[in-house]
Amino acid sequence: MALRLLYLIFVQLAGRVVLQGRSQRSQDAEILVLRHQLAVFASAGGKAQAVVGGSGGDQRAGAAAVRSCS
């Protein structure tokens, strides 16, 4: 139990250190991608489905997010 608690604390602290090292632009791109994923999920009526390939709009949004990170 104590080992699990220490692990969870370590994971949280490591995540915060990683976020501090990232630029504001990459954080904004991640938020953009997550909002898009949420919108796609909401428009699917809450049904979780694995989509292989995705639509053209999904691919363009992903490509724009990748370009803004680099």
Side-chain angles (χ1 to χ4, degrees):
M1 180 77 168
L3 186 60
R4 179 174 166 83
L5 179 61
L6 287 174
Y7 171 75
L8 291 174
I9 291 171
F10 174 76
V11 168
Q12 289 294 321
L13 289 175
R16 289 175 192 237
V17 168
V18 168
L19 282 178
Q20 291 296 323
R22 292 173 54 192
S23 70
Q24 183 65 37
R25 189 172 181 160
S26 67
Q27 290 177 9
D28 291 344
E30 183 178 3
I31 290 172
L32 176 70
V33 169
L34 291 174
R35 285 183 180 169
H36 175 71
Q37 289 175 346
L38 182 61
V40 169
F41 181 71
S43 69
K47 293 186 277 182
Q49 296 178 353
V51 177
V52 177
S55 68
D58 292 342
Q59 292 172 353
R60 285 189 295 273
V66 169
R67 278 194 304 271
S68 70
C69 287
S70 57

